[in-house]
Amino acid sequence: KGRLDSALTKEDTEILLESLKSFGILNNDYSYEASLDTAEYRGYPENGAPGGGLYNAAPEPSEPIALEDLLKSRFWEKMRNHTTYRHHAPMFQPVGGMEEIAHAFAREVDDTITYNAKVDRIRQTESGVEVEYSSADGEGSGGVETADYCICTIPFTVLSQLDVDVSGDMRRVMRALHYHEAVKAGLEMKRRFWERDEQIYGGITLTDLPIAEISYPSAEMHSDGPGVLLGCYAYGPHAYAFNSMSPEERLETVLEQGARIHPQYRDEFSSGVVLSWHRVPWMLGCYSDWDDRGRDYEIAATMDNRFVCAGEHISYLPGWQEGSLLSALDAVRQVHDRAVKEG
Ligand SMILES: Cc1cc2nc3c(=O)[nH]c(=O)nc-3n(C[C@H](O)[C@H](O)[C@H](O)COP(=O)(O)OP(=O)(O)OC[C@H]3O[C@@H](n4cnc5c(N)ncnc54)[C@H](O)[C@@H]3O)c2cc1C
């Protein structure tokens, strides 16, 4: 609109316009039109991709989606998720799934872990901490552990409902912290139809349905199958709607919505599960959501008498294993400093 001059030198203006043409694939009139240039970035029409020889070989331009439609689709809302500091382009996947990281830690310290122990109560005295637990599955026996200090990694959603000796401030913060909601579905399909029929190899289909997205496996491509799709990764109000359904209703909803995108769903589905983290009694939420940390974060992260919290919620990287590990290191540092001070 001729206003670039006010913020930029003449030379900068020329460079900026050149960059818009180059990066935005704009033509000499600075508009984005159907052309072989734009098709090279946005894709070609069916049967119009560059080929070889004579027959059907010359590429054809494709018709861009109208700006208004692009804006209204709100596609851009989802795109920005994958461009943050926390989503680097090369992301690693542990062989066998995320849980393998926890299993690897467990292998190293297995003889120090008491499994099937549901903590019910934590008592603090001047000289130590007492943790009472019962059997999580109702079959084993309960017990009491005593120690000089306690590092507690139970999520605040659960901890705030237990009988725990902590300061009034700490209790208030535990109760106040909100946890994000999330729902995910794993769908086992007999055949990798997305690869065989539609040439989709990995990646995500973003939708405006409550399931939010369908994510395709990035391992074992071209194998005969079966294959597992992530059939839903719902957040926000849609996740609450899933939370309120029975497991069977959740699965049926995911299949019905997914079949609108891939009609093969019904024939190829063999089994599946839809997990809602607000319904998992050991988590009661997906990950912590510090809206305004203010002084509350410091209260949550600071040792309270002989008790100190650790976990993803005690970090600036909530919802990531990295956050929980870094907070654990800091909790150990606090216990160490205190123990050294006490001699
Ligand atoms: C859907 C989803 C996707 C994710 N994707 C990724 C990812 O791709 N990459 C990544 O790095 N991170 C991811 N995360 C986050 C990662 O899983 C967490 O940040 C991490 O597991 C947090 O570790 P934590 O030790 O703080 O808590 P948790 O792993 O939740 O551990 C808390 C433990 O406390 C136990 N517990 C609860 N109540 C009691 C009780 N009363 N008595 C005894 N024990 C109890 C629980 O059973 C649990 O084992 C994801 C999380 C979710 C939910």
Side-chain angles (χ1 to χ4, degrees):
K1 296 207 168 170
R3 298 236 189 101
L4 288 173
D5 292 350
S6 54
L8 300 170
T9 64
K10 188 164 181 295
E11 193 189 350
D12 286 346
T13 308
E14 282 170 17
I15 297 172
L16 178 63
L17 288 172
E18 271 313 299
S19 76
L20 291 177
K21 271 170 73 175
S22 159
F23 190 69
I25 332 297
L26 305 183
N27 63 17
N28 286 337
D29 296 328
Y30 299 103
S31 74
Y32 187 84
E33 305 286 348
S35 70
L36 288 181
D37 280 344
T38 50
E40 186 60 12
Y41 290 84
R42 67 178 308 279
Y44 295 87
E46 210 171 347
N47 302 321
L54 281 177
Y55 179 70
N56 227 1
E60 289 167 25
S62 57
E63 200 52 51
I65 299 170
L67 179 61
E68 190 189 357
D69 293 340
L70 264 184
L71 292 175
K72 286 191 178 140
S73 77
R74 305 191 81 81
F75 176 66
W76 43 270
E77 269 178 0
K78 313 243 167 120
M79 285 190 74
R80 67 174 202 154
N81 286 351
H82 303 279
T83 56
T84 63
Y85 173 81
R86 287 151 211 222
H87 294 85
H88 288 286
M91 287 188 101
F92 297 101
Q93 297 176 313
V95 174
M98 277 295 170
E99 203 181 23
E100 289 308 309
I101 292 183
H103 285 157
F105 276 105
R107 263 200 310 275
E108 301 301 316
V109 293
D110 201 51
D111 55 340
T112 67
I113 303 175
T114 306
Y115 289 103
N116 194 26
K118 173 178 171 291
V119 170
D120 298 311
R121 191 171 158 192
I122 302 174
R123 286 269 160 271
Q124 297 203 62
T125 65
E126 281 308 303
S127 56
V129 185
E130 206 177 83
V131 177
E132 265 182 53
Y133 61 91
S134 55
S135 143
D137 64 9
E139 286 182 11
S141 56
V144 179
E145 284 287 342
T146 54
D148 294 339
Y149 307 98
C150 172
I151 297 178
C152 178
T153 64
I154 298 176
F156 277 4
T157 40
V158 178
L159 191 62
S160 59
Q161 299 183 52
L162 303 183
D163 182 2
V164 186
D165 267 353
V166 284
S167 68
D169 262 355
M170 175 74 103
R171 178 155 291 284
R172 178 185 57 76
V173 174
M174 279 178 191
R175 283 191 180 145
L177 185 58
H178 172 250
Y179 274 59
H180 272 289
E181 57 297 314
V183 173
K184 276 174 124 172
L187 306 177
E188 184 177 340
M189 299 290 177
K190 290 176 238 166
R191 213 166 52 86
R192 296 168 76 97
F193 59 82
W194 52 93
E195 294 176 2
R196 299 284 159 136
D197 306 349
E198 290 161 281
Q199 293 78 53
I200 296 175
Y201 294 92
I204 298 175
T205 291
L206 300 173
T207 84
D208 59 0
L209 297 165
I211 54 169
E213 62 185 58
I214 298 172
S215 178
Y216 308 91
S218 47
E220 296 176 38
M221 287 176 188
H222 287 297
S223 62
D224 282 340
V228 176
L229 290 178
L230 174 66
C232 163
Y233 199 163
Y235 279 101
H238 292 313
Y240 284 110
F242 276 110
N243 289 351
S244 68
M245 297 177 193
S246 69
E248 295 75 24
E249 281 172 333
R250 279 183 214 143
L251 189 55
E252 176 50 33
T253 306
V254 167
L255 290 174
E256 185 275 314
Q257 292 180 12
R260 296 192 217 169
I261 290 163
H262 295 295
Q264 303 96 320
Y265 256 47
R266 294 289 183 187
D267 286 343
E268 304 296 348
F269 174 74
S270 66
S271 69
V273 63
V274 188
L275 198 68
S276 155
W277 272 272
H278 262 92
R279 293 282 187 185
V280 177
W282 313 107
M283 285 183 74
L284 301 177
C286 183
Y287 61 91
S288 60
D289 172 21
W290 287 96
D291 188 22
D292 173 14
R293 287 171 191 259
R295 217 173 71 74
D296 286 358
Y297 178 78
E298 200 185 315
I299 293 169
T302 304
M303 199 162 184
D304 182 305
N305 191 10
R306 295 177 167 273
F307 173 89
V308 62
C309 295
E312 57 82 28
H313 53 303
I314 312 292
S315 79
Y316 282 80
L317 292 160
W320 293 98
Q321 295 178 64
E322 185 181 354
S324 52
L325 293 174
L326 294 176
S327 95
L329 292 176
D330 187 68
V332 171
R333 179 192 63 77
Q334 293 189 57
V335 169
H336 175 78
D337 289 353
R338 174 75 181 272
V340 167
K341 219 168 167 182
E342 288 190 344

